[in-house]
Amino acid sequence: MSDVSNLRDTIAPKSDQMNADDLIGTTKTIKVTAVKAGAPDQPIAIHYEGDDGKPYKPCKSMRRVLIFAWGDDGRQWAGKSMTLYCCPEVKFGGVKVGGIRISHLSDIEKAIDLSLTVTRAKRQPYHVKPLVVAAPAAYPADVFAEKLPAMIGAIESGKMTRDAVIAHCEKTGTLSDAMKARLVVTPTEEDEF
């Protein structure tokens, strides 16, 4: 290791999921791509952009927050964002071990205040702030014009569907409706009945 300008990788836990240790001294804002069913002890896995196969598996309290804010249909969470942090006060088996908590959520109109169960006999207030997500940048018009023939070719050849081309482009920036309209392949005389 010759580059010591960012040592965070040296403390990353070896795990198949995001851990509180991944967030020591930092926060992480994630955009949900999918919610999948998990094991009984961790019933959901929230996949997000750039998760590198390490989804966020929220504890029961954070699942309650998410359901309260976004509803109980996990399929509707895709595209929404949240900011996560490590709370060192989280206990497991009576011992402070730290845990992942949510500080901000997109797609809520105002701050949320809940009373969450801490132990069987104790509840504690919990506060979540709205997350303002910047609108994605527009796909560059000059790049679109340059790549349009290749995009049309991919659709015509069957290598990609129109939706797949749009999804691929929108990793870079949002396509305008006019750009999307240009991604229509017109049938040739050979294709007509």
Short mmCIF file of all heavy atoms in Angstrom, two decimals, residues 106-160:
data_model
loop_
_atom_site.label_atom_id
_atom_site.label_comp_id
_atom_site.label_asym_id
_atom_site.label_seq_id
_atom_site.Cartn_x
_atom_site.Cartn_y
_atom_site.Cartn_z
N SER A 106 -35.51 10.92 2.04
CA SER A 106 -36.13 11.67 0.96
C SER A 106 -37.62 11.33 0.93
O SER A 106 -38.07 10.40 1.62
CB SER A 106 -35.48 11.32 -0.38
OG SER A 106 -35.83 10.00 -0.78
N ASP A 107 -38.36 12.06 0.15
CA ASP A 107 -39.78 11.78 -0.08
C ASP A 107 -40.64 11.87 1.18
O ASP A 107 -41.63 11.16 1.32
CB ASP A 107 -39.95 10.41 -0.75
CG ASP A 107 -39.25 10.37 -2.10
OD1 ASP A 107 -39.88 10.73 -3.09
OD2 ASP A 107 -38.05 10.00 -2.15
N ILE A 108 -40.22 12.75 2.11
CA ILE A 108 -41.08 13.09 3.25
C ILE A 108 -41.21 14.61 3.24
O ILE A 108 -40.26 15.32 2.92
CB ILE A 108 -40.55 12.57 4.61
CG1 ILE A 108 -39.15 13.10 4.94
CG2 ILE A 108 -40.56 11.04 4.64
CD1 ILE A 108 -38.64 12.74 6.33
N GLU A 109 -42.40 15.09 3.56
CA GLU A 109 -42.66 16.54 3.48
C GLU A 109 -42.06 17.31 4.64
O GLU A 109 -41.67 18.46 4.50
CB GLU A 109 -44.16 16.78 3.42
CG GLU A 109 -44.79 16.31 2.13
CD GLU A 109 -46.28 16.57 2.09
OE1 GLU A 109 -46.78 17.39 2.88
OE2 GLU A 109 -46.95 15.96 1.24
N LYS A 110 -42.03 16.69 5.81
CA LYS A 110 -41.50 17.38 6.99
C LYS A 110 -40.82 16.35 7.90
O LYS A 110 -40.91 15.14 7.67
CB LYS A 110 -42.61 18.11 7.74
CG LYS A 110 -43.72 17.20 8.21
CD LYS A 110 -44.82 17.98 8.90
CE LYS A 110 -45.89 17.02 9.40
NZ LYS A 110 -46.92 17.65 10.16
N ALA A 111 -40.16 16.83 8.93
CA ALA A 111 -39.47 15.95 9.87
C ALA A 111 -40.47 14.99 10.51
O ALA A 111 -41.65 15.30 10.68
CB ALA A 111 -38.78 16.77 10.94
N ILE A 112 -39.96 13.82 10.85
CA ILE A 112 -40.77 12.78 11.48
C ILE A 112 -40.29 12.57 12.90
O ILE A 112 -39.08 12.45 13.15
CB ILE A 112 -40.64 11.44 10.70
CG1 ILE A 112 -41.21 11.58 9.30
CG2 ILE A 112 -41.31 10.31 11.45
CD1 ILE A 112 -40.94 10.37 8.43
N ASP A 113 -41.22 12.52 13.83
CA ASP A 113 -40.91 12.19 15.22
C ASP A 113 -41.72 10.96 15.60
O ASP A 113 -42.95 10.95 15.50
CB ASP A 113 -41.26 13.37 16.14
CG ASP A 113 -40.30 14.53 15.94
OD1 ASP A 113 -39.09 14.34 16.17
OD2 ASP A 113 -40.76 15.62 15.54
N LEU A 114 -41.01 9.94 16.04
CA LEU A 114 -41.62 8.68 16.44
C LEU A 114 -41.17 8.32 17.85
O LEU A 114 -40.15 8.80 18.33
CB LEU A 114 -41.19 7.54 15.52
CG LEU A 114 -41.54 7.65 14.05
CD1 LEU A 114 -40.76 6.62 13.25
CD2 LEU A 114 -43.01 7.44 13.86
N SER A 115 -41.90 7.43 18.47
CA SER A 115 -41.49 6.86 19.75
C SER A 115 -41.19 5.38 19.47
O SER A 115 -42.09 4.61 19.16
CB SER A 115 -42.61 7.00 20.78
OG SER A 115 -42.21 6.47 22.01
N LEU A 116 -39.92 5.02 19.55
CA LEU A 116 -39.50 3.66 19.21
C LEU A 116 -39.16 2.86 20.46
O LEU A 116 -38.62 3.39 21.44
CB LEU A 116 -38.27 3.69 18.29
CG LEU A 116 -38.46 4.34 16.93
CD1 LEU A 116 -37.14 4.37 16.17
CD2 LEU A 116 -39.53 3.63 16.11
N THR A 117 -39.42 1.57 20.39
CA THR A 117 -39.12 0.68 21.50
C THR A 117 -37.61 0.49 21.61
O THR A 117 -36.94 0.16 20.63
CB THR A 117 -39.79 -0.69 21.28
OG1 THR A 117 -41.20 -0.48 21.14
CG2 THR A 117 -39.52 -1.64 22.42
N VAL A 118 -37.08 0.71 22.81
CA VAL A 118 -35.66 0.50 23.08
C VAL A 118 -35.48 -0.85 23.79
O VAL A 118 -34.62 -1.64 23.41
CB VAL A 118 -35.08 1.65 23.95
CG1 VAL A 118 -33.62 1.40 24.27
CG2 VAL A 118 -35.26 2.98 23.26
N THR A 119 -36.29 -1.07 24.82
CA THR A 119 -36.37 -2.35 25.51
C THR A 119 -37.86 -2.64 25.70
O THR A 119 -38.70 -1.79 25.39
CB THR A 119 -35.66 -2.32 26.89
OG1 THR A 119 -36.33 -1.38 27.72
CG2 THR A 119 -34.19 -1.94 26.76
N ARG A 120 -38.18 -3.78 26.23
CA ARG A 120 -39.60 -4.13 26.40
C ARG A 120 -40.37 -3.10 27.20
O ARG A 120 -41.54 -2.87 26.95
CB ARG A 120 -39.73 -5.50 27.09
CG ARG A 120 -39.39 -6.62 26.15
CD ARG A 120 -39.69 -7.94 26.78
NE ARG A 120 -39.35 -9.00 25.83
CZ ARG A 120 -39.15 -10.23 26.14
NH1 ARG A 120 -39.26 -10.61 27.41
NH2 ARG A 120 -38.85 -11.13 25.23
N ALA A 121 -39.72 -2.48 28.15
CA ALA A 121 -40.42 -1.54 29.02
C ALA A 121 -40.09 -0.09 28.74
O ALA A 121 -40.53 0.80 29.44
CB ALA A 121 -40.11 -1.86 30.47
N LYS A 122 -39.29 0.17 27.70
CA LYS A 122 -38.83 1.54 27.49
C LYS A 122 -38.96 1.94 26.02
O LYS A 122 -38.59 1.20 25.13
CB LYS A 122 -37.36 1.66 27.92
CG LYS A 122 -36.81 3.05 27.83
CD LYS A 122 -35.37 3.10 28.31
CE LYS A 122 -34.80 4.50 28.14
NZ LYS A 122 -33.38 4.54 28.42
N ARG A 123 -39.51 3.16 25.82
CA ARG A 123 -39.59 3.74 24.49
C ARG A 123 -38.78 5.03 24.50
O ARG A 123 -38.62 5.66 25.54
CB ARG A 123 -41.05 4.01 24.12
CG ARG A 123 -41.84 2.70 24.01
CD ARG A 123 -43.30 2.90 23.71
NE ARG A 123 -43.62 3.35 22.38
CZ ARG A 123 -43.60 2.61 21.28
NH1 ARG A 123 -43.22 1.36 21.35
NH2 ARG A 123 -43.95 3.10 20.12
N GLN A 124 -38.32 5.42 23.32
CA GLN A 124 -37.48 6.61 23.22
C GLN A 124 -37.87 7.39 21.96
O GLN A 124 -38.17 6.79 20.93
CB GLN A 124 -36.01 6.17 23.14
CG GLN A 124 -35.01 7.26 23.26
CD GLN A 124 -33.60 6.67 23.38
OE1 GLN A 124 -33.36 5.51 23.09
NE2 GLN A 124 -32.67 7.49 23.80
N PRO A 125 -37.85 8.73 22.05
CA PRO A 125 -38.18 9.51 20.85
C PRO A 125 -37.11 9.34 19.78
O PRO A 125 -35.93 9.19 20.10
CB PRO A 125 -38.24 10.95 21.36
CG PRO A 125 -37.68 10.95 22.71
CD PRO A 125 -37.59 9.55 23.21
N TYR A 126 -37.56 9.38 18.53
CA TYR A 126 -36.63 9.26 17.40
C TYR A 126 -37.03 10.29 16.36
O TYR A 126 -38.21 10.44 16.05
CB TYR A 126 -36.67 7.84 16.81
CG TYR A 126 -35.52 7.60 15.87
CD1 TYR A 126 -34.26 7.29 16.36
CD2 TYR A 126 -35.67 7.73 14.50
CE1 TYR A 126 -33.18 7.10 15.51
CE2 TYR A 126 -34.61 7.54 13.63
CZ TYR A 126 -33.36 7.22 14.14
OH TYR A 126 -32.31 7.05 13.30
N HIS A 127 -36.06 11.00 15.82
CA HIS A 127 -36.29 12.12 14.91
C HIS A 127 -35.59 11.86 13.57
O HIS A 127 -34.42 11.49 13.54
CB HIS A 127 -35.74 13.40 15.55
CG HIS A 127 -35.98 14.64 14.77
ND1 HIS A 127 -37.19 15.26 14.71
CD2 HIS A 127 -35.14 15.38 14.00
CE1 HIS A 127 -37.09 16.35 13.95
NE2 HIS A 127 -35.86 16.43 13.51
N VAL A 128 -36.31 12.04 12.47
CA VAL A 128 -35.74 11.90 11.13
C VAL A 128 -36.05 13.18 10.36
O VAL A 128 -37.19 13.64 10.35
CB VAL A 128 -36.34 10.69 10.37
CG1 VAL A 128 -35.76 10.59 8.97
CG2 VAL A 128 -36.11 9.40 11.13
N LYS A 129 -35.03 13.73 9.71
CA LYS A 129 -35.19 14.96 8.94
C LYS A 129 -35.41 14.66 7.46
O LYS A 129 -34.96 13.61 6.97
CB LYS A 129 -33.93 15.83 9.09
CG LYS A 129 -33.67 16.27 10.51
CD LYS A 129 -32.37 17.04 10.59
CE LYS A 129 -32.07 17.41 12.03
NZ LYS A 129 -30.74 18.05 12.15
N PRO A 130 -36.06 15.58 6.75
CA PRO A 130 -36.21 15.40 5.30
C PRO A 130 -34.85 15.51 4.60
O PRO A 130 -34.01 16.32 4.99
CB PRO A 130 -37.12 16.55 4.86
CG PRO A 130 -37.73 17.09 6.11
CD PRO A 130 -36.78 16.76 7.23
N LEU A 131 -34.66 14.68 3.61
CA LEU A 131 -33.43 14.71 2.80
C LEU A 131 -33.76 15.36 1.47
O LEU A 131 -34.64 14.88 0.75
CB LEU A 131 -32.90 13.29 2.58
CG LEU A 131 -31.70 13.14 1.66
CD1 LEU A 131 -30.47 13.85 2.24
CD2 LEU A 131 -31.40 11.67 1.43
N VAL A 132 -33.10 16.44 1.17
CA VAL A 132 -33.30 17.11 -0.10
C VAL A 132 -32.29 16.53 -1.08
O VAL A 132 -31.08 16.64 -0.88
CB VAL A 132 -33.11 18.64 0.03
CG1 VAL A 132 -33.29 19.32 -1.32
CG2 VAL A 132 -34.09 19.20 1.05
N VAL A 133 -32.80 15.88 -2.10
CA VAL A 133 -31.95 15.24 -3.10
C VAL A 133 -31.89 16.15 -4.32
O VAL A 133 -32.92 16.56 -4.85
CB VAL A 133 -32.50 13.85 -3.49
CG1 VAL A 133 -31.63 13.18 -4.52
CG2 VAL A 133 -32.65 12.97 -2.25
N ALA A 134 -30.68 16.46 -4.72
CA ALA A 134 -30.50 17.32 -5.90
C ALA A 134 -31.03 16.61 -7.14
O ALA A 134 -30.87 15.39 -7.29
CB ALA A 134 -29.03 17.66 -6.08
N ALA A 135 -31.64 17.36 -8.01
CA ALA A 135 -32.14 16.79 -9.26
C ALA A 135 -30.95 16.30 -10.08
O ALA A 135 -29.91 16.96 -10.13
CB ALA A 135 -32.92 17.83 -10.04
N PRO A 136 -31.08 15.14 -10.72
CA PRO A 136 -29.97 14.64 -11.52
C PRO A 136 -29.68 15.57 -12.69
O PRO A 136 -30.58 16.22 -13.22
CB PRO A 136 -30.44 13.26 -12.00
CG PRO A 136 -31.92 13.26 -11.80
CD PRO A 136 -32.23 14.27 -10.75
N ALA A 137 -28.43 15.63 -13.06
CA ALA A 137 -28.02 16.47 -14.18
C ALA A 137 -28.61 15.93 -15.49
O ALA A 137 -28.88 14.74 -15.61
CB ALA A 137 -26.50 16.50 -14.26
N ALA A 138 -28.77 16.82 -16.43
CA ALA A 138 -29.28 16.43 -17.74
C ALA A 138 -28.17 15.71 -18.52
O ALA A 138 -26.99 16.02 -18.37
CB ALA A 138 -29.74 17.65 -18.51
N TYR A 139 -28.58 14.73 -19.32
CA TYR A 139 -27.63 14.04 -20.20
C TYR A 139 -27.13 15.05 -21.22
O TYR A 139 -27.93 15.77 -21.82
CB TYR A 139 -28.33 12.86 -20.89
CG TYR A 139 -27.38 11.90 -21.56
CD1 TYR A 139 -26.87 10.81 -20.87
CD2 TYR A 139 -27.00 12.08 -22.88
CE1 TYR A 139 -26.00 9.92 -21.47
CE2 TYR A 139 -26.13 11.19 -23.50
CZ TYR A 139 -25.63 10.11 -22.79
OH TYR A 139 -24.77 9.24 -23.40
N PRO A 140 -25.83 15.13 -21.44
CA PRO A 140 -25.29 16.14 -22.36
C PRO A 140 -25.82 15.94 -23.79
O PRO A 140 -25.71 14.86 -24.36
CB PRO A 140 -23.78 15.91 -22.30
CG PRO A 140 -23.54 15.10 -21.07
CD PRO A 140 -24.79 14.34 -20.81
N ALA A 141 -26.37 17.00 -24.36
CA ALA A 141 -26.97 16.94 -25.70
C ALA A 141 -25.95 16.56 -26.77
O ALA A 141 -26.26 15.79 -27.68
CB ALA A 141 -27.63 18.27 -26.03
N ASP A 142 -24.72 17.08 -26.66
CA ASP A 142 -23.70 16.77 -27.68
C ASP A 142 -23.30 15.30 -27.63
O ASP A 142 -23.11 14.66 -28.66
CB ASP A 142 -22.48 17.69 -27.55
CG ASP A 142 -21.83 17.62 -26.17
OD1 ASP A 142 -22.52 17.29 -25.18
OD2 ASP A 142 -20.62 17.90 -26.08
N VAL A 143 -23.22 14.74 -26.44
CA VAL A 143 -22.88 13.32 -26.29
C VAL A 143 -24.03 12.46 -26.84
O VAL A 143 -23.80 11.46 -27.52
CB VAL A 143 -22.58 12.97 -24.81
CG1 VAL A 143 -22.37 11.49 -24.62
CG2 VAL A 143 -21.37 13.76 -24.32
N PHE A 144 -25.26 12.88 -26.54
CA PHE A 144 -26.42 12.14 -27.05
C PHE A 144 -26.42 12.11 -28.58
O PHE A 144 -26.61 11.06 -29.19
CB PHE A 144 -27.73 12.75 -26.53
CG PHE A 144 -28.95 12.02 -26.99
CD1 PHE A 144 -29.37 10.87 -26.34
CD2 PHE A 144 -29.68 12.46 -28.08
CE1 PHE A 144 -30.49 10.17 -26.76
CE2 PHE A 144 -30.81 11.78 -28.52
CZ PHE A 144 -31.21 10.63 -27.85
N ALA A 145 -26.19 13.27 -29.19
CA ALA A 145 -26.18 13.35 -30.66
C ALA A 145 -25.09 12.46 -31.24
O ALA A 145 -25.29 11.78 -32.26
CB ALA A 145 -25.99 14.79 -31.11
N GLU A 146 -23.94 12.44 -30.59
CA GLU A 146 -22.82 11.62 -31.06
C GLU A 146 -23.12 10.12 -30.94
O GLU A 146 -22.79 9.33 -31.83
CB GLU A 146 -21.56 11.96 -30.25
CG GLU A 146 -20.35 11.14 -30.55
CD GLU A 146 -19.21 11.42 -29.59
OE1 GLU A 146 -19.06 12.58 -29.14
OE2 GLU A 146 -18.47 10.47 -29.26
N LYS A 147 -23.76 9.72 -29.86
CA LYS A 147 -23.98 8.30 -29.59
C LYS A 147 -25.32 7.77 -30.12
O LYS A 147 -25.57 6.57 -30.08
CB LYS A 147 -23.87 8.03 -28.09
CG LYS A 147 -22.47 8.27 -27.56
CD LYS A 147 -22.33 7.86 -26.12
CE LYS A 147 -20.88 8.03 -25.67
NZ LYS A 147 -20.67 7.50 -24.36
N LEU A 148 -26.19 8.66 -30.60
CA LEU A 148 -27.51 8.25 -31.05
C LEU A 148 -27.46 7.14 -32.11
O LEU A 148 -28.19 6.15 -31.97
CB LEU A 148 -28.32 9.44 -31.55
CG LEU A 148 -29.74 9.13 -32.01
CD1 LEU A 148 -30.57 8.53 -30.87
CD2 LEU A 148 -30.41 10.39 -32.55
N PRO A 149 -26.62 7.22 -33.13
CA PRO A 149 -26.60 6.13 -34.11
C PRO A 149 -26.27 4.77 -33.49
O PRO A 149 -26.87 3.75 -33.84
CB PRO A 149 -25.52 6.56 -35.11
CG PRO A 149 -25.46 8.06 -34.98
CD PRO A 149 -25.75 8.34 -33.54
N ALA A 150 -25.34 4.75 -32.55
CA ALA A 150 -24.99 3.48 -31.89
C ALA A 150 -26.14 2.97 -31.02
O ALA A 150 -26.40 1.77 -30.96
CB ALA A 150 -23.73 3.66 -31.05
N MET A 151 -26.84 3.90 -30.38
CA MET A 151 -28.00 3.50 -29.56
C MET A 151 -29.09 2.89 -30.44
O MET A 151 -29.62 1.83 -30.09
CB MET A 151 -28.55 4.71 -28.80
CG MET A 151 -27.64 5.29 -27.75
SD MET A 151 -28.44 6.71 -26.98
CE MET A 151 -27.04 7.70 -26.53
N ILE A 152 -29.41 3.55 -31.54
CA ILE A 152 -30.42 3.04 -32.47
C ILE A 152 -29.98 1.67 -33.01
O ILE A 152 -30.77 0.74 -33.10
CB ILE A 152 -30.68 4.04 -33.63
CG1 ILE A 152 -31.28 5.33 -33.09
CG2 ILE A 152 -31.56 3.42 -34.71
CD1 ILE A 152 -32.67 5.21 -32.52
N GLY A 153 -28.69 1.56 -33.33
CA GLY A 153 -28.15 0.28 -33.81
C GLY A 153 -28.32 -0.84 -32.80
O GLY A 153 -28.67 -1.97 -33.15
N ALA A 154 -28.07 -0.54 -31.54
CA ALA A 154 -28.22 -1.55 -30.48
C ALA A 154 -29.68 -2.00 -30.35
O ALA A 154 -29.96 -3.17 -30.13
CB ALA A 154 -27.70 -1.00 -29.16
N ILE A 155 -30.60 -1.04 -30.48
CA ILE A 155 -32.02 -1.38 -30.40
C ILE A 155 -32.44 -2.21 -31.62
O ILE A 155 -33.09 -3.24 -31.50
CB ILE A 155 -32.89 -0.11 -30.27
CG1 ILE A 155 -32.57 0.63 -28.96
CG2 ILE A 155 -34.38 -0.46 -30.34
CD1 ILE A 155 -33.16 2.03 -28.86
N GLU A 156 -32.04 -1.76 -32.82
CA GLU A 156 -32.41 -2.46 -34.06
C GLU A 156 -31.87 -3.88 -34.09
O GLU A 156 -32.54 -4.80 -34.54
CB GLU A 156 -31.89 -1.70 -35.29
CG GLU A 156 -32.67 -0.45 -35.60
CD GLU A 156 -32.11 0.32 -36.79
OE1 GLU A 156 -30.91 0.18 -37.11
OE2 GLU A 156 -32.89 1.05 -37.40
N SER A 157 -30.65 -4.07 -33.60
CA SER A 157 -30.04 -5.40 -33.64
C SER A 157 -30.57 -6.33 -32.55
O SER A 157 -30.29 -7.53 -32.57
CB SER A 157 -28.52 -5.27 -33.49
OG SER A 157 -28.19 -4.84 -32.17
N GLY A 158 -31.30 -5.77 -31.59
CA GLY A 158 -31.83 -6.59 -30.51
C GLY A 158 -30.85 -6.77 -29.36
O GLY A 158 -31.12 -7.49 -28.41
N LYS A 159 -29.69 -6.11 -29.43
CA LYS A 159 -28.71 -6.22 -28.34
C LYS A 159 -29.23 -5.57 -27.06
O LYS A 159 -28.92 -6.01 -25.96
CB LYS A 159 -27.38 -5.57 -28.74
CG LYS A 159 -26.61 -6.33 -29.78
CD LYS A 159 -25.30 -5.64 -30.10
CE LYS A 159 -24.55 -6.40 -31.18
NZ LYS A 159 -23.33 -5.71 -31.58
N MET A 160 -30.01 -4.49 -27.23
CA MET A 160 -30.57 -3.79 -26.08
C MET A 160 -32.00 -3.38 -26.41
O MET A 160 -32.31 -3.09 -27.57
CB MET A 160 -29.76 -2.53 -25.73
CG MET A 160 -28.35 -2.80 -25.25
SD MET A 160 -27.43 -1.26 -24.91
CE MET A 160 -28.04 -0.86 -23.28
#
